[in-house]
Amino acid sequence: MSHKSKILVTGGCGYIGAHTIVDLIENGYDVISVDNLSRATTQLLAGIADITSVQVKNYAIDLCIAKDIATLFAQHPDISGIIHFAAYKSVPESVAQPLSYYHNNLASLINLLQMVQQYEVPYFVFSSSCSVYGNTQQLPVTEDTPLPRAESPYGNTKQIGEEIIRDFSHTHSGSRHALLRYFNPVGAHPTALIGEIQPIPQNLVPYITQTAIGKRPQLTVFGNDYDTRDGICLRDYIHVCDIAHAHTLALRYLAQSTADNRCEVFNLGSGTGNTVLEAIAAFERVAQMPLPYVIGARREGDAAAVYADNQKARALLGWQPRYDLDDMMRTAWIWEQRNTQ
Ligand code: UD1
């Protein structure tokens, strides 16, 4: 009979979910995963087992089907925390298929909160995104920065998700909630046994590593006429293992908190921004090779600059990002080379 706390990680076969599972196991938690494998495979579960020697069980159920989650909770009534990653996350796809995004990202959340209520699950951690801030001009963005209308249905599912949890926390006194707003998670586990899998790259760093390895001819830098130090878009890149550890810290924080507020929001960013050219320079430095790139047109919807004020996570969670931009690029590059073989 295990005396460890049992944590349900949804989306455990995905990029951030898998890194978080490793961090949870290393900090003494028991983990079960729910992932319907619609956007992932079990590849990262195998990598988790290689790193931790723990074979995490994944339940391939759809969180939008209430009776299937009810069955899972009947089997695991002792779940003491939920970390909810499972969601669709492509901005352009959400513009093309808004109903699919609203249904998938919100029905799953509501079904899980119903279980929180029914089983008195004390801790709930939600994957939110800096996309809730839209194209804000207030930099760095703090958790109090007013949220403008979301730029996309995807961003809106995160705003609405946060509101659903906040409203729920007002009426339900049996649980505490952390809303974690990720900036740009990149990099891979230092063992290179897990990392990001994007067959068609959607984000900058997979695009850089796939270009370097020869899968893509060149990278296009989207625009060079922005109002930033070198005219190039600036973002807050943060190592996925730092993001992962923040979830463990959030569970500990919720367990210790006696605050009246049962729903707390945290920015998870490095606190400093880097431009795409600075990211390329870091890559070239650690990979010791030139990266072929051209300057192209602006990408529609891109904000010039976004970076986090992370003081709240540092102060309340005791979070301290440990990896710098070079580490992010180095681990992403080692992972790309290993994953491509
Ligand atoms: C995107 C999502 C955001 C999500 C984040 C996850 C949008 C509008 N936002 O943010 O919701 O949380 O990914 O990491 O899609 N770039 C290039 N060339 C490329 C690809 C990207 O120059 O081929 C630039 C972009 O202009 C941007 C930066 O690289 O300045 C990062 O882009 P990306 O990785 O797509 O992330 P975001 O757009 O910041």
Side-chain angles (χ1 to χ4, degrees):
M1 172 86 182
S2 169
H3 296 287
K4 295 177 174 180
S5 324
K6 187 186 284 183
I7 305 299
L8 170 63
V9 173
T10 77
C13 298
Y15 174 47
I16 309 177
H19 286 81
T20 299
I21 288 176
V22 169
D23 200 87
L24 290 169
I25 291 170
E26 287 174 347
N27 284 284
Y29 290 94
D30 261 343
V31 179
I32 57 171
S33 165
V34 165
D35 192 312
N36 67 357
L37 303 175
S38 70
R39 301 274 160 121
T41 69
T42 54
Q43 181 185 337
L44 297 186
L45 284 185
I48 293 169
D50 290 341
I51 297 169
T52 64
S53 304
V54 175
Q55 192 70 55
V56 172
K57 176 145 179 60
N58 181 60
Y59 293 82
I61 62 175
D62 184 340
L63 295 169
C64 293
I65 300 173
K67 70 172 175 29
D68 288 354
I69 312 183
T71 305
L72 177 82
F73 272 81
Q75 285 169 26
H76 296 279
D78 54 342
I79 287 170
S80 67
I82 299 174
I83 304 182
H84 180 39
F85 293 102
Y88 292 162
K89 63 168 187 179
S90 158
V91 170
E93 187 182 49
S94 79
V95 173
Q97 300 171 33
L99 296 184
S100 157
Y101 268 66
Y102 285 115
H103 180 254
N104 185 67
N105 291 3
L106 298 177
S108 56
L109 173 62
I110 293 165
N111 285 340
L112 275 173
L113 291 175
Q114 265 156 355
M115 292 299 104
V116 168
Q117 185 164 273
Q118 187 176 332
Y119 285 88
E120 293 289 342
V121 180
Y123 313 121
F124 190 90
V125 180
F126 178 63
S127 291
S128 189
S129 166
C130 68
S131 63
V132 299
Y133 296 116
N135 290 343
T136 181
Q137 307 294 319
Q138 261 177 271
L139 293 173
V141 285
T142 74
E143 290 81 355
D144 303 325
T145 303
L147 304 189
R149 199 184 130 74
E151 291 282 324
S152 68
Y154 163 73
N156 208 18
T157 67
K158 293 300 178 186
Q159 284 193 1
I160 297 169
E162 289 192 2
E163 283 174 18
I164 289 171
I165 296 166
R166 201 169 288 116
D167 288 348
F168 174 71
S169 77
H170 290 153
T171 59
H172 183 73
S173 62
S175 57
R176 292 184 176 275
H177 312 83
L179 314 179
L180 305 185
R181 292 176 178 163
Y182 313 146
F183 281 68
N184 288 57
V186 299
H189 194 269
T191 59
L193 292 167
I194 56 172
E196 188 165 21
I197 299 169
Q198 290 193 356
I200 299 167
Q202 315 281 329
N203 295 109
L204 178 66
V205 174
Y207 216 106
I208 288 177
T209 58
Q210 291 189 25
T211 302
I213 211 148
K215 288 184 190 165
R216 318 268 151 208
Q218 63 189 14
L219 172 77
T220 302
V221 176
F222 297 140
N224 65 350
D225 56 352
Y226 285 100
D227 183 17
T228 61
R229 53 186 171 248
D230 58 4
I232 307 287
C233 277
L234 180 144
R235 294 287 182 276
D236 187 332
Y237 300 97
I238 176 80
H239 197 280
V240 65
C241 291
D242 283 325
I243 293 265
H245 188 54
H247 292 75
T248 302
L249 296 175
L251 285 176
R252 286 188 194 148
Y253 165 80
L254 294 177
Q256 287 160 9
S257 174
T258 53
D260 291 343
N261 183 7
R262 291 188 297 268
C263 180
E264 206 65 74
V265 51
F266 297 97
N267 282 344
L268 297 183
S270 71
T272 52
N274 286 106
T275 71
V276 178
L277 288 187
E278 290 164 355
I280 293 171
F283 178 83
E284 291 180 325
R285 197 159 48 233
V286 300
Q288 297 192 323
M289 61 180 284
L291 187 83
Y293 71 86
V294 292
I295 305 287
R298 286 184 175 199
R299 181 174 68 175
E300 205 187 326
D302 263 341
V306 186
Y307 62 97
D309 179 322
N310 64 13
Q311 289 308 314
K312 187 174 174 187
R314 285 178 182 273
L316 296 190
L317 303 182
W319 185 59
Q320 235 177 333
R322 285 177 288 208
Y323 296 84
D324 66 16
L325 187 63
D326 283 15
D327 299 325
M328 299 178 209
M329 293 298 167
R330 185 181 301 108
T331 53
W333 178 226
I334 297 170
W335 161 253
E336 177 71 57
Q337 293 170 88
R338 186 184 169 275
N339 198 38
T340 295
Q341 275 149 25

